[in-house]
Amino acid sequence: MENFEGFCPVRNILSQIGDKWSVLAMVALQKYGVCRFRDFQKEMPDVSRKMLSQTLRRLESYNLVSRTVYPEVPPRVEYQLTDLGTSLQSPLNGIIDWAISNRDSLINQDER
């Protein structure tokens, strides 16, 4: 891997989106197209509100997810993948498919 003055693209992107909540949020957005906060909570019931909020903010700061606030009472907020986030779906799906295909081997490694 090339290193450009302390910048390692693989390390940097994995540190940004490599956690389970980011991946699951992006999978939910791929599945539904547009999600509201409660949709994520239904899809990921074991994530805390605080962690979900932090995850969505982080994905937004990396330009992978867009957030639209509608001036209603109560405010309606919707999230969707940006073009950059959409471009990440194919590689992400490859990793998901690989993990599913190799689940038994991976589980057996953990038990050894």
Side-chain angles (χ1 to χ4, degrees), residues 6 10 16 27 53 57 59 67 69 85 87 90 92 100-102 105:
V10 173
Q16 294 172 355
V27 167
S53 181
R57 274 193 229 114
L59 291 172
R67 178 178 184 261
V69 180
S87 73
S90 181
L92 188 57
I100 291 169
S101 295
N102 293 286
S105 297

Side-chain angles (χ1 to χ4, degrees), residues 56-70:
L56 292 170
R57 274 193 229 114
R58 189 173 55 253
L59 291 172
E60 184 182 9
S61 75
Y62 299 144
N63 194 33
L64 297 171
V65 170
S66 67
R67 178 178 184 261
T68 304
V69 180
Y70 295 92

